[in-house]
Amino acid sequence: MNRNEKRRQIVYSVVMIICEVMGIRAVAAMLNLIGNYSTVSDQRGMELAISLSSNYCLFVLLLFVCFILSIRAKRTAAKYEYIGRNICFVLSAVIASSSSIAVLMVFSIEYAKYINDMNVLNTIYNLEEVNYLISNPHEFYLFMVGVVICLPFAIKAIIDVVNAIKNR
């Protein structure tokens, strides 16, 4: 493996680690917000909603960046590892992207509660998407599956970074 290939692998590994951290932070914010929904204050709920939406967006964005970097670092991985991780990235991106409406609705509800605008809150509660999310609560948890799918690659990325630092 030449120097450029090593750099590509390190960049891929660092971005993969950051991507997984953002995904885990989004999962933690979602679970905290949903688990304590009735007792959380409006300000804390807004903080959690902002954390959820920003970390979720960064997770999905970095997932696509990881996919591109994985293609660029093709020669550094075994054939089946390369194919497997790219399939998992695409699968994780599709699964995580399907939860975007749920994340947007949670953010919108918390924003309306935070600014104390009952007209906006009533409008949001009367949307078809909210009724769909209430009848299908698994939509809130789908992106968590996407985060879990990427977890083995993040663990391998941590090992790769540690080995690269040792072998300097």
Side-chain angles (χ1 to χ4, degrees), residues 31 84 86 91 123 143 149 168:
L31 291 176
N86 286 341
L91 182 65
T123 304
F143 84 90
I149 288 173
R168 273 187 136 175

Side-chain angles (χ1 to χ4, degrees), residues 24-35:
I24 290 170
R25 288 182 65 183
V27 168
M30 176 69 95
L31 291 176
N32 196 355
L33 186 61
I34 290 176

